[in-house]
Amino acid sequence: MDVNLLAIVFVAILANNIVLSQFLGICPYLGVSNRLETSMGMGMAVIFVMTMSAVVTWVIDTFLLVPFDLIYLRTITFILVIAGLVQLVETVLKKTNPTLFRAMGIYLPLITTNCTILGVALLNVQAGYNIIQTIVYAIATGIGFTLALVIMAGIRERLELANVSSYLRGAAVSLVTAGILSLAFMGFKGMMTL
Amino acid sequence: MDFVLAVVIIGGLGLIIGGFLAYSALRFAVDEDPRVETICDLLPGANCGACGFAGCADYAEKAVKGEVALDCCIPGGKDVCNSISEVMGVESTASADKKIAEVRCVGTNEVARNKFYYQGVPDCKAAMMYGKGFKACQYGCLGLGTCVEVCPFDAMHMGDNGLPVVDAESCTGCGICAKACPRDVIYIVNANRTGKVILCNSKDRGKAVSDVCEVGCIGCKACIKGCPQEAIAVENNLASIDSDKCNDCGECLDFCKRDAMRDVVKIAVG
């Protein structure tokens, strides 16, 4: 399959943003977007894990599941592999690079069973990307996730100071904001498709 | 046949990953010093950051490594420093007296003029965005309670007169309020001091102060002459009293025309 890498980047970040258009990863999107700083940390951890898991799942899919005709086991296999991988990364990171671990450590368990990670792994193999396209798609999707998260965190930090009606305060206003953001990203929709 | 293959491959994959995890858990085991946890338990656990680190756990880790002094915990004070030193097996270096926050403004709603009527978000930082605050005195307390909001020890509350009151018992002197205050009107001072204190923060000239506030210090220097202990100095149009020299005789109160001088609130130190 021949898809322009730049097109993948554009579509993954803007036109088909994983959170705002594809409806994946809503939980961390609302949960970790209280502060700009933590949302950046979460975003970086997601990019890192997403890329690693996409590569590993691509390898397993191409060299194990497809040859043995076990495609119906994709979901369960990917969950197994991703959970194991994240745990491994956490253990290794704790020993070898404590600074990076402190920056990303608390987010890693959160990411383990995150639907964006699994979603990207599945979307990759369904689209039939090769390894280069897989890596580019995973990184771009991670950036798209971080973008959505950081925008949301920026808005929510200001919302905290704003005089929100008591009926809307908390979850309600966050969800309304998320909806409006999603509307805004619809502007990119028609520009490009894969 | 398909069934067996599926079981073998998924089972095998699970075994391999499990094996890897078990191996890496051994290979990459991190030896944590048990003292870190002990010290972490001794610290107040408010994660206020007054020590300059990202929370109590971070400070405990650094303290065990010997990278930092053991008396950095301001809320914990002497007691915590002593017990940490005991855990570490070193002589306590506790010298830090108990600290406390002090609001250096007595410009209540009645005596301090406002520039305009503010009807925005009830938060000092938000209020500062409009013309640098509604209070005519640019040094005075806005009284919207950002300090009350941020205090991790619930040691501040808003008084009826529109100025925050520090609860001397609960205040640990961590300084979070002082950092949060957009007008820098809160100071962290020694809690054991006695005598008089000047509760004004205005560095404006006399005329500018008296235009906006009935009680602010105008820097007239009358109190300097009135102090037999020579404990008072005026700098930047603002008088200050050296609490080491002040013997609480109260002579200065007769000389101050502005009522900016007050007794230090007596603090019960445990």
Side-chain angles (χ1 to χ4, degrees), chain B residues 171-187:
Chain B
C171 180
T172 62
C174 69
I176 304 250
C177 50
K179 276 182 217 145
C181 178
R183 290 206 146 186
D184 296 330
V185 74
I186 301 177
Y187 289 76

PDB file of all heavy atoms in Angstrom, chain B residues 171-187:
ATOM      1  N   CYS B 171      -0.666  27.612  61.137  1.00  0.00           N
ATOM      2  CA  CYS B 171       0.289  28.084  60.131  1.00  0.00           C
ATOM      3  C   CYS B 171       1.653  27.444  60.373  1.00  0.00           C
ATOM      4  O   CYS B 171       2.147  27.413  61.499  1.00  0.00           O
ATOM      5  CB  CYS B 171       0.418  29.596  60.173  1.00  0.00           C
ATOM      6  SG  CYS B 171       1.582  30.213  58.948  1.00  0.00           S
ATOM      7  N   THR B 172       2.245  26.926  59.301  1.00  0.00           N
ATOM      8  CA  THR B 172       3.544  26.286  59.426  1.00  0.00           C
ATOM      9  C   THR B 172       4.649  27.125  58.825  1.00  0.00           C
ATOM     10  O   THR B 172       5.803  26.744  58.852  1.00  0.00           O
ATOM     11  CB  THR B 172       3.536  24.925  58.711  1.00  0.00           C
ATOM     12  OG1 THR B 172       3.290  25.167  57.327  1.00  0.00           O
ATOM     13  CG2 THR B 172       2.463  24.016  59.253  1.00  0.00           C
ATOM     14  N   GLY B 173       4.279  28.258  58.228  1.00  0.00           N
ATOM     15  CA  GLY B 173       5.285  29.110  57.614  1.00  0.00           C
ATOM     16  C   GLY B 173       5.844  28.558  56.318  1.00  0.00           C
ATOM     17  O   GLY B 173       6.975  28.848  55.944  1.00  0.00           O
ATOM     18  N   CYS B 174       5.059  27.750  55.619  1.00  0.00           N
ATOM     19  CA  CYS B 174       5.574  27.122  54.398  1.00  0.00           C
ATOM     20  C   CYS B 174       5.750  28.136  53.276  1.00  0.00           C
ATOM     21  O   CYS B 174       6.524  27.911  52.353  1.00  0.00           O
ATOM     22  CB  CYS B 174       4.658  25.988  53.940  1.00  0.00           C
ATOM     23  SG  CYS B 174       3.052  26.527  53.319  1.00  0.00           S
ATOM     24  N   GLY B 175       5.029  29.242  53.335  1.00  0.00           N
ATOM     25  CA  GLY B 175       5.242  30.307  52.366  1.00  0.00           C
ATOM     26  C   GLY B 175       4.492  30.161  51.057  1.00  0.00           C
ATOM     27  O   GLY B 175       4.710  30.929  50.134  1.00  0.00           O
ATOM     28  N   ILE B 176       3.595  29.200  50.984  1.00  0.00           N
ATOM     29  CA  ILE B 176       2.812  29.029  49.745  1.00  0.00           C
ATOM     30  C   ILE B 176       1.947  30.262  49.494  1.00  0.00           C
ATOM     31  O   ILE B 176       1.828  30.724  48.366  1.00  0.00           O
ATOM     32  CB  ILE B 176       1.903  27.786  49.868  1.00  0.00           C
ATOM     33  CG1 ILE B 176       2.743  26.570  50.182  1.00  0.00           C
ATOM     34  CG2 ILE B 176       1.050  27.602  48.631  1.00  0.00           C
ATOM     35  CD1 ILE B 176       2.879  25.573  49.131  1.00  0.00           C
ATOM     36  N   CYS B 177       1.369  30.805  50.559  1.00  0.00           N
ATOM     37  CA  CYS B 177       0.497  31.971  50.405  1.00  0.00           C
ATOM     38  C   CYS B 177       1.299  33.166  49.913  1.00  0.00           C
ATOM     39  O   CYS B 177       0.854  33.928  49.071  1.00  0.00           O
ATOM     40  CB  CYS B 177      -0.207  32.282  51.722  1.00  0.00           C
ATOM     41  SG  CYS B 177       0.903  32.383  53.135  1.00  0.00           S
ATOM     42  N   ALA B 178       2.526  33.310  50.467  1.00  0.00           N
ATOM     43  CA  ALA B 178       3.364  34.439  50.079  1.00  0.00           C
ATOM     44  C   ALA B 178       3.689  34.375  48.598  1.00  0.00           C
ATOM     45  O   ALA B 178       3.748  35.396  47.904  1.00  0.00           O
ATOM     46  CB  ALA B 178       4.648  34.452  50.907  1.00  0.00           C
ATOM     47  N   LYS B 179       3.887  33.142  48.086  1.00  0.00           N
ATOM     48  CA  LYS B 179       4.190  32.997  46.666  1.00  0.00           C
ATOM     49  C   LYS B 179       2.955  33.246  45.819  1.00  0.00           C
ATOM     50  O   LYS B 179       3.042  33.761  44.712  1.00  0.00           O
ATOM     51  CB  LYS B 179       4.709  31.582  46.396  1.00  0.00           C
ATOM     52  CG  LYS B 179       6.185  31.422  46.672  1.00  0.00           C
ATOM     53  CD  LYS B 179       6.635  30.010  46.334  1.00  0.00           C
ATOM     54  CE  LYS B 179       7.683  29.548  47.333  1.00  0.00           C
ATOM     55  NZ  LYS B 179       7.612  28.140  47.645  1.00  0.00           N
ATOM     56  N   ALA B 180       1.797  32.863  46.348  1.00  0.00           N
ATOM     57  CA  ALA B 180       0.568  32.982  45.561  1.00  0.00           C
ATOM     58  C   ALA B 180       0.061  34.413  45.505  1.00  0.00           C
ATOM     59  O   ALA B 180      -0.600  34.796  44.548  1.00  0.00           O
ATOM     60  CB  ALA B 180      -0.512  32.078  46.146  1.00  0.00           C
ATOM     61  N   CYS B 181       0.392  35.209  46.524  1.00  0.00           N
ATOM     62  CA  CYS B 181      -0.168  36.558  46.602  1.00  0.00           C
ATOM     63  C   CYS B 181       0.366  37.429  45.478  1.00  0.00           C
ATOM     64  O   CYS B 181       1.574  37.659  45.379  1.00  0.00           O
ATOM     65  CB  CYS B 181       0.190  37.195  47.944  1.00  0.00           C
ATOM     66  SG  CYS B 181      -0.407  38.894  48.091  1.00  0.00           S
ATOM     67  N   PRO B 182      -0.504  37.933  44.599  1.00  0.00           N
ATOM     68  CA  PRO B 182      -0.022  38.724  43.471  1.00  0.00           C
ATOM     69  C   PRO B 182       0.465  40.105  43.892  1.00  0.00           C
ATOM     70  O   PRO B 182       1.119  40.797  43.124  1.00  0.00           O
ATOM     71  CB  PRO B 182      -1.239  38.822  42.557  1.00  0.00           C
ATOM     72  CG  PRO B 182      -2.408  38.652  43.450  1.00  0.00           C
ATOM     73  CD  PRO B 182      -1.969  37.748  44.573  1.00  0.00           C
ATOM     74  N   ARG B 183       0.150  40.512  45.119  1.00  0.00           N
ATOM     75  CA  ARG B 183       0.587  41.832  45.561  1.00  0.00           C
ATOM     76  C   ARG B 183       1.739  41.738  46.569  1.00  0.00           C
ATOM     77  O   ARG B 183       2.153  42.749  47.143  1.00  0.00           O
ATOM     78  CB  ARG B 183      -0.589  42.575  46.169  1.00  0.00           C
ATOM     79  CG  ARG B 183      -1.608  42.965  45.105  1.00  0.00           C
ATOM     80  CD  ARG B 183      -2.389  44.144  45.522  1.00  0.00           C
ATOM     81  NE  ARG B 183      -2.727  44.982  44.381  1.00  0.00           N
ATOM     82  CZ  ARG B 183      -3.324  46.154  44.499  1.00  0.00           C
ATOM     83  NH1 ARG B 183      -3.640  46.618  45.674  1.00  0.00           N
ATOM     84  NH2 ARG B 183      -3.589  46.860  43.436  1.00  0.00           N
ATOM     85  N   ASP B 184       2.226  40.544  46.803  1.00  0.00           N
ATOM     86  CA  ASP B 184       3.363  40.330  47.702  1.00  0.00           C
ATOM     87  C   ASP B 184       3.188  41.010  49.044  1.00  0.00           C
ATOM     88  O   ASP B 184       4.112  41.653  49.553  1.00  0.00           O
ATOM     89  CB  ASP B 184       4.666  40.815  47.042  1.00  0.00           C
ATOM     90  CG  ASP B 184       4.974  40.003  45.796  1.00  0.00           C
ATOM     91  OD1 ASP B 184       4.590  38.822  45.773  1.00  0.00           O
ATOM     92  OD2 ASP B 184       5.565  40.559  44.862  1.00  0.00           O
ATOM     93  N   VAL B 185       2.019  40.870  49.611  1.00  0.00           N
ATOM     94  CA  VAL B 185       1.754  41.554  50.867  1.00  0.00           C
ATOM     95  C   VAL B 185       1.953  40.600  52.054  1.00  0.00           C
ATOM     96  O   VAL B 185       1.926  41.016  53.204  1.00  0.00           O
ATOM     97  CB  VAL B 185       0.341  42.177  50.835  1.00  0.00           C
ATOM     98  CG1 VAL B 185      -0.735  41.108  50.969  1.00  0.00           C
ATOM     99  CG2 VAL B 185       0.171  43.239  51.887  1.00  0.00           C
ATOM    100  N   ILE B 186       2.187  39.316  51.750  1.00  0.00           N
ATOM    101  CA  ILE B 186       2.387  38.344  52.830  1.00  0.00           C
ATOM    102  C   ILE B 186       3.876  38.075  53.004  1.00  0.00           C
ATOM    103  O   ILE B 186       4.590  37.844  52.036  1.00  0.00           O
ATOM    104  CB  ILE B 186       1.635  37.035  52.533  1.00  0.00           C
ATOM    105  CG1 ILE B 186       0.146  37.322  52.372  1.00  0.00           C
ATOM    106  CG2 ILE B 186       1.869  36.010  53.637  1.00  0.00           C
ATOM    107  CD1 ILE B 186      -0.682  36.114  52.018  1.00  0.00           C
ATOM    108  N   TYR B 187       4.336  38.127  54.245  1.00  0.00           N
ATOM    109  CA  TYR B 187       5.739  37.863  54.551  1.00  0.00           C
ATOM    110  C   TYR B 187       5.822  36.663  55.482  1.00  0.00           C
ATOM    111  O   TYR B 187       4.907  36.415  56.259  1.00  0.00           O
ATOM    112  CB  TYR B 187       6.372  39.082  55.223  1.00  0.00           C
ATOM    113  CG  TYR B 187       6.572  40.238  54.270  1.00  0.00           C
ATOM    114  CD1 TYR B 187       5.505  41.027  53.869  1.00  0.00           C
ATOM    115  CD2 TYR B 187       7.846  40.516  53.758  1.00  0.00           C
ATOM    116  CE1 TYR B 187       5.680  42.073  52.980  1.00  0.00           C
ATOM    117  CE2 TYR B 187       8.023  41.572  52.873  1.00  0.00           C
ATOM    118  CZ  TYR B 187       6.936  42.345  52.493  1.00  0.00           C
ATOM    119  OH  TYR B 187       7.110  43.374  51.610  1.00  0.00           O
TER     120      TYR B 187
END
